[in-house]
């Protein structure tokens, strides 16, 4: 361990791994300080990666040279494609992984492909001077200097676990909470919030009655998460999941014991995720639902433990056992570990900038759960961005931001820093206004557009040239088909008019792609990834163009700059708008309009004032 690094990343979870991996690619010294090296990349909850919106983040991270996609592929035991029959904007790949295998894969990828120095210790305080962080203090009081620090401490700051009426300090079951760091952050003047999340009990799969549950096999027709993964698993190589349901008996039991749960017994003050409620909340808030689905998901290739997805709770252990026994197929099941809720400190994300550094300390970056999110994918996406920007900051280069229409990471960052979080933030497709532009298949193309060439070359040297080649081939094919009329024989085979322009035909929803592919071997020149993108972009070109028009319109208005010397007080804004603009100092109309609580009429007042100022300047 040295006494100075360019960048110190605190915490080796999903955010810290991507942050340190991305940062070291810029040729600077990076230390990852984390409690124990063997918990790097640990999955705190369900060992699964992907799902709606999240799978696109995994592909964005992979396209930018990150780790999560490759690690998920290396440890996957089952793949499924959600919403296969629905439109491309909501299709999503989800992998069930081997919990230990995932951890091992992350550690291997980090160890073998990076210069990150791993330091096993706890960071107890940040060292700061004026508006700069200058280093960290470790558990034994040792101080290490840094040009920039990235905090990715997950659920550990002030972590407290609850199981029924029992409450004890911990960040994850079996791992101590972090006590000192929250105080240090408060001393720096940062505002902390208190959130909570939870996990279900685990069960012994050997004690499940499989005759009473429904099997859910894996799928073979999927695209792996990483662009570099070649192997496709057959259905036989994959492990099945199972489905069962809660019932009225389960719900009655939960209702009867509601006050014994930590959540309803008044023990927990932190706010939980609305979109991933515990079973107590589901039963209490939706009494009209007589049953809730429970997925029984394997914890690993050789593990007999199952993760009953859908029944996270903070009830006493004995009630958890009774609850499990009330569910079909689980009547005699053995609980291997109780479920629990965990409450922890997060830094209010509105204190951060879209580059993920803190407004008040421009070399302190945040990513993952500490920034108010929940989920491995969210943490990985933020980690990669924080690591990249911390490195660019250290090198005194322009930091990057990711536009909402090109990146779900961009959507998440924008939501967090301009709207804040009043509960653990999870990505959902509904959070994106340009969903059709944020599909799983085109993450590579978006990344190519979103990131400056020199930065992408550093982050993703293996893929950068390939993406350019794919994009150019797609462009050439579009030009070719837009200028190609079908011959009589071709038109007859496709049952269309002679001379029909191929590009027009391929944009029809009923186009027979298989026949066209057989007619034009050029199409087969595309690798499977750009081929899928090309197909969707042709088929949905009308809708995509409409969304792009909206993007351009918004960008045009959004790019109007707000003069630094505009006096918000003097232009007749509502009090809330005046306060928010003063607090966030938006650089342009786009940023101003995304701030929570700002209405279209506030924006109209702002534009009017900018126009007037411009006009007066011209006259003067
Ligand atoms: C009980 C529980 C249930 C969850 N349920 C879900 C769920 O259902 N779905 C979902 O998507 N997500 C869930 N999550 C969230 C998911 O696990 C996290 O969002 C994700 O792990 C966050 O990644 P991270 O990198 O921010 O932090 P973590 O993965 O928590 O990693 C933080 C790392 O920082 C280290 N650390 C902390 N403080 C210090 C310090 N001071 N010095 C050195 N090292 C430090 C820790 O040892 C750890 O290695 C759950 C989490 C928990 C704990």
């Amino acid at each position: 361990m040295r006494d100075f690094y360019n960048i110190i990343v605190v915490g080796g979870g999903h955010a810290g791994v991507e942050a340190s991996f991305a940062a070291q690619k810029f040729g600077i010294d990076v230390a990852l300080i984390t409690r124990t090296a063997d918990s790097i990349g640990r999955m705190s909850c369900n060992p699964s990666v992907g799902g709606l919106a999240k799978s696109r983040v995994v592909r964005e991270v992979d396209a930018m040279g990150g780790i999560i996609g490759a690690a998920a592929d290396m440890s996957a035991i089952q793949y499924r494609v959600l919403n296969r029959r629905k439109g491309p904007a909501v299709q999503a790949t989800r992998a069930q992984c081997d919990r230990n295998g995932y951890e091992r894969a992350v550690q291997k990828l980090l160890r073998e492909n990076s210069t990150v120095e791993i330091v096993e210790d706890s960071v107890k305080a940040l060292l700061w001077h004026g508006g700069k962080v200058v280093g960290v203090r470790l558990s034994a009081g040792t101080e290490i200097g840094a040009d920039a620090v990235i905090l990715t401490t997950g659920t550990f700051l002030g972590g407290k676990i609850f199981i029924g009426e029992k409450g004890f300090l911990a960040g994850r079951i079996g791992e101590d909470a972090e006590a000192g760091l929250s105080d240090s952050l408060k001393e720096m003047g940062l505002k902390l919030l208190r959130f909570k999340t939870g996990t279900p009990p685990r069960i012994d799969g050997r004690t499940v009655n499989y005759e009473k549950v429904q099997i859910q096999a894996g799928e073979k027709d999927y695209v792996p998460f990483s662009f570099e993964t070649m192997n496709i698993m057959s259905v036989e190589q994959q492990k099945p999941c199972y489905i069962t349901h809660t019932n009225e008996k389960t719900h009655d039991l939960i209702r009867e014991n509601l006050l014994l749960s930590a959540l309803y017994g008044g023990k927990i003050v932190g706010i939980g995720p609305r979109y991933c409620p515990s079973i107590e909340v589901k039963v209490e808030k939706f009494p009209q639902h007589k049953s809730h689905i429970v997925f029984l998901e394997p914890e690993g290739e050789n593990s007999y433990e199952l993760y009953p997805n859908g029944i996270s709770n903070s009830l006493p252990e004995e009630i958890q056992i009774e609850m499990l026994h009330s569910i079909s197929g689980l009547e005699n099941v053995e609980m291997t570990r109780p479920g629990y809720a965990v409450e922890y400190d997060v830094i209010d994300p509105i204190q951060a900038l879209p580059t993920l550094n803190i407004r008040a300390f421009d070399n302190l970056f945040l990513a993952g759960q500490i920034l108010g999110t929940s989920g491995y994918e969210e943490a990985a996406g933020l980690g990669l961005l924080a690591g990249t920007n911390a490195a660019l900051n250290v090198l005194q280069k322009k930091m990057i931001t990711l536009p909402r229409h090109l990146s779900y990471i961009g959507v998440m960052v924008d939501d967090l820093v301009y709207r804040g979080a009043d509960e653990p933030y999870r990505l959902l497709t509904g959070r994106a206004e340009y969903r059709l532009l944020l599909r799983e298949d085109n993450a590579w193309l978006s990344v190519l557009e979103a990131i400056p060439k020199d930065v992408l070359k550093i982050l993703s040297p293996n893929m950068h040239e390939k993406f350019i080649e794919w994009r150019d081939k797609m462009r050439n094919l579009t030009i070719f088909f837009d200028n190609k009329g079908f011959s009589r024989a071709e038109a007859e085979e496709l049952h269309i008019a002679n001379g029909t322009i191929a590009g027009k035909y391929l944009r029809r929803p009923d186009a027979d792609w298989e026949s066209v592919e057989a007619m034009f071997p050029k199409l087969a020149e595309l690798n499977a990834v750009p081929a899928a993108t090309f197909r969707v972009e042709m088929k949905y070109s009308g809708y995509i163009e409409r969304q792009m028009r909206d993007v351009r319109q918004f960008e045009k208005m959004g790019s109007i700059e707000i003069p630094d010397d505009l006096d918000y007080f003097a232009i007749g804004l509502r009090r809330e708008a005046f306060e928010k603009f003063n607090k966030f100092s938006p650089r342009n109309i786009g940023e101003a309009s995304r701030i929570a609580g700002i209405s279209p009429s506030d924006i109209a007042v702002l534009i009017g004032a900018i126009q007037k100022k411009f006009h007066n300047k011209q006259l003067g």
Side-chain angles (χ1 to χ4, degrees), residues 194-208:
R194 194 91 176 134
F195 282 177
K196 85 124 214 186
T197 187
T199 195
R202 307 300 195 271
I203 56 175
D204 184 335
R206 296 169 298 189
T207 56
V208 170

Side-chain angles (χ1 to χ4, degrees), residues 519-541:
M519 285 170 198
F520 301 100
K522 261 176 175 305
L523 261 176
E525 285 172 19
L526 280 183
N527 162 299
V529 175
T533 307
F534 180 66
R535 209 165 158 152
V536 176
E537 301 241 320
M538 290 298 269
K539 196 166 166 189
Y540 294 90
S541 60

Side-chain angles (χ1 to χ4, degrees), residues 340-366:
Y340 63 90
V342 57
E343 202 179 65
Y344 52 94
D345 293 334
V346 305
I347 295 184
D348 187 344
I350 62 169
Q351 297 165 105
L353 290 161
T355 37
L356 295 185
N357 45 340
I358 290 282
R359 284 168 200 276
F361 296 89
D362 70 359
N363 64 341
L364 175 60
F365 292 77
L366 305 174

Side-chain angles (χ1 to χ4, degrees), residues 114-185:
S114 85
T115 56
V116 172
E117 188 173 332
I118 294 163
V119 176
E120 285 186 302
D121 210 324
S122 282
V123 168
K124 295 291 169 193
L126 295 187
L127 309 173
W128 51 286
H129 183 70
K132 292 267 176 216
V133 169
V134 293
V136 301
R137 183 176 303 122
L138 303 182
S139 52
T142 315
E143 296 189 347
I144 310 180
D147 287 327
V149 172
I150 309 176
L151 282 185
T152 64
T153 49
T155 48
F156 286 75
L157 293 198
K160 190 164 183 194
I161 283 183
F162 296 93
I163 304 173
E165 301 196 298
K166 279 192 260 169
F168 50 95
L169 299 178
R172 238 177 346 214
I173 205 87
E175 294 179 55
D176 287 345
E178 185 49 59
L181 198 48
S182 292
D183 293 338
S184 170
L185 295 169

Side-chain angles (χ1 to χ4, degrees), residues 11 13-15 35 44-45 54 121-123 153-154 178 198 369 375-376 379:
H14 309 270
R35 301 277 196 67
S44 311
C45 195
K54 291 164 170 258
D121 210 324
S122 282
V123 168
T153 49
E178 185 49 59
Q369 199 101 3
Y376 312 127

